[in-house]
Amino acid sequence: MNIDGLGEFGLIERIREGEGALPRGIMGIGDDCAVLPQRKGYKTLVSTDLLMEGVHFLLEDIDPYSLGWKSAAVNLSDIAAMGGRPLGSFLAFALPKALDSKWMDDFFRGYRAVSGLCSAPLLGGDTTSSLDRLCICVTVLGECEDGHEVLRSGARPSDKICVSGTLGDSAGGLKLILGGLSREGAGERLIERHYRPVPRVAEGQRIAACGATSMMDISDGIGSDLRHITRASGVGAVVRVKDLPLSEELLSQSALYGWNARGLAIDGGEDYELLFTMPSDALRNLDIPYTEIGEIVPGEDILWEGASSQEHKGFRHF
Ligand code: ADP
Ligand code: MG
C-alpha cells in the first residue's frame, strides 16, 4: 500500500504503535506537545537538521533503512558533540505520495535502530505530503549537567587537537556510490560509514567529563570544521597531516582507485566523528580510542603540516 492509502492519521498511528514504552515521566506522540520533566542542575540541549532529497541523499540509491538511520544519527551526533545525553527526537517530514508503507516501515526500522542505540525515543513530529521531493527534518533534545556543555569556543594555546575514530571513510563511500564502483569488501565498509554513521554519544560524554576545552562533530570535514573551533576560540592550530587516522579500508580503496586518502580525511564530509581539544595532562586520563593530530597555537592561522595545499574548504552548500 502506498502511504496515500494509509492517510496522515493512519501513518501517525503506525509510527506511534512502533514506539516502545517511554522512560518514566515522559509523554511522547499523541498530544499537542511532548511533555518532559525538567531536572534541577541540568541544561537542555536542542538541535535541528534538515535532510533534503537530491542535496543530502539520492532516493534512488539510499535504502530506506539507511536513510532512517542517517536522519536520526546526524542529529544525535550534535548532542554527542556537546558532551550531552540524548533525551529524544522529533521527526517532521514531507512525503511524496508514491512512497509505499513497506518503505516507511524500513525507514522507521533504521531510525529506531540508532535511536535505540542512543536511548533517544521518538517523541513527536509532523507529517505532510510533498508534491515533489522527500524532505526530512529531525530535532533532537538532550541534557547535560549545568556548566558541563562543551562549546566550540574554549580551545586554548598548547591544548592538543584530537579526533575519535577514523576520517575520510564516508567521503570514500560517497565516491564509490557516485562513481558506480564496486561495493564489495572494503567498499561495503566505506559505504556503511557513509550511510550509517554511528553518533559518538558515549565517547562525547567521556571526552566532556575528562575536561575537553572545545568539541564539535565532524560533518563537513576537519578542513572546514576545525576553522569553526579556531574562530570561536580566537586561536590558531597546527595539524600534522601524517597523523590523521585513516582506516585500512580507506587506504586499500585509495590505493586501488588512486584517491588521495589524506585529502579525503581533511575535506571529505560526513564522518560524524568528534573533533576536540584538551590540555595534555587531562588527555592522559581519556580512556576511549582517539588520535592526537595536532596542537592549538596562538594566532588565527591553521597550518596543515605536510599537506600539499593549505586551502581547505570542506563541504559547502552555497
Ligand atoms: P498537530 O495538529 O497538533 O500538529 P498532528 O495531528 O500533526 O498534531 O500530530 C499528532 C501527534 O502525532 C503529535 O503528538 C505529533 O507530535 C505526532 N506526530 C505527527 N507526525 C509525526 C512523525 N512524523 N513522527 C512522530 N510523531 C509524529
Ligand atoms: Mg501536525
Side-chain angles (χ1 to χ4, degrees):
M1 188 182 8
N2 69 15
I3 51 168
D4 211 15
L6 213 52
E8 179 186 338
F9 297 115
L11 181 58
I12 294 174
E13 192 45 36
R14 204 177 173 101
I15 296 170
R16 199 185 60 74
E17 279 170 3
E19 284 302 302
L22 292 173
R24 257 181 90 82
I26 294 186
M27 201 183 83
I29 298 172
D31 214 305
D32 294 312
C33 282
V35 184
L36 289 95
Q38 200 134 44
R39 289 219 281 167
K40 225 186 149 94
Y42 282 76
K43 273 187 180 151
T44 303
L45 307 168
V46 189
S47 178
T48 290
D49 261 302
L50 189 70
L51 284 97
M52 185 73 207
E53 180 189 342
V55 179
H56 297 96
F57 60 90
L58 301 170
L59 199 51
E60 316 79 77
D61 193 83
I62 192 166
D63 61 286
Y65 182 96
S66 294
L67 186 59
W69 176 292
K70 193 163 180 174
S71 304
V74 302
N75 281 275
L76 289 163
S77 176
D78 285 321
I79 300 290
M82 305 297 286
R85 188 173 77 88
L87 291 173
S89 72
F90 294 80
L91 168 65
F93 45 20
L95 301 166
K97 291 183 178 169
L99 289 181
D100 63 18
S101 56
K102 165 87 170 67
W103 190 97
M104 289 308 306
D105 289 344
D106 289 342
F107 176 93
F108 276 99
R109 274 198 308 112
Y111 193 96
R112 289 190 181 111
V114 71
S115 302
L117 267 184
C118 300
S119 311
L122 178 60
L123 298 178
D126 202 22
T127 307
T128 75
S129 61
S130 166
L131 295 179
D132 183 18
R133 305 270 171 123
L134 170 61
C135 178
I136 304 166
C137 178
V138 177
T139 301
V140 283
L141 277 187
E143 65 173 10
C144 67
E145 264 181 84
D146 206 350
H148 288 231
E149 62 277 15
V150 185
L151 309 180
R152 297 178 178 185
S153 54
R156 295 292 168 259
S158 89
D159 285 353
K160 302 299 179 191
I161 304 170
C162 304
V163 292
S164 64
T166 55
L167 302 179
D169 295 333
S170 174
L174 182 61
K175 279 176 91 72
L176 295 175
I177 293 165
L178 296 179
L181 301 170
S182 166
R183 301 180 175 205
E184 309 275 291
E188 187 182 2
R189 179 79 191 107
L190 296 185
I191 289 174
E192 185 182 323
R193 292 269 311 192
H194 183 70
Y195 278 158
R196 301 184 194 170
V198 178
R200 303 303 186 193
V201 169
E203 292 85 346
Q205 291 175 41
R206 291 293 310 134
I207 292 165
C210 217
T213 49
S214 72
M215 180 153 62
M216 67 182 295
D217 64 330
I218 305 172
S219 55
D220 297 337
I222 55 166
S224 73
D225 287 336
L226 180 58
R227 256 273 141 253
H228 293 305
I229 286 184
T230 57
R231 285 223 177 101
S233 301
V235 295
V238 177
V239 178
R240 297 179 302 269
V241 172
K242 68 169 175 39
D243 289 345
L244 296 176
L246 306 177
S247 69
E248 289 297 323
E249 291 87 356
L250 182 65
L251 287 169
S252 72
Q253 297 284 285
S254 296
L256 186 61
Y257 297 115
W259 304 338
N260 173 358
R262 294 206 161 75
L264 292 176
I266 297 174
D267 287 317
E270 304 199 287
D271 281 316
Y272 297 102
E273 293 295 344
L274 297 172
L275 170 65
F276 59 98
T277 59
M278 208 186 271
S280 54
D281 46 343
L283 197 55
R284 266 179 232 122
N285 301 320
L286 185 59
D287 55 1
I288 58 149
Y290 66 90
T291 307
E292 197 183 309
I293 60 168
E295 200 166 290
I296 296 295
V297 296
E300 55 182 34
D301 296 329
I302 301 179
L303 176 66
W304 298 90
E305 215 176 74
S308 46
S309 156
Q310 296 295 316
E311 273 295 304
H312 297 293
K313 294 206 167 70
F315 181 81
R316 302 255 173 110
H317 282 279
F318 300 104

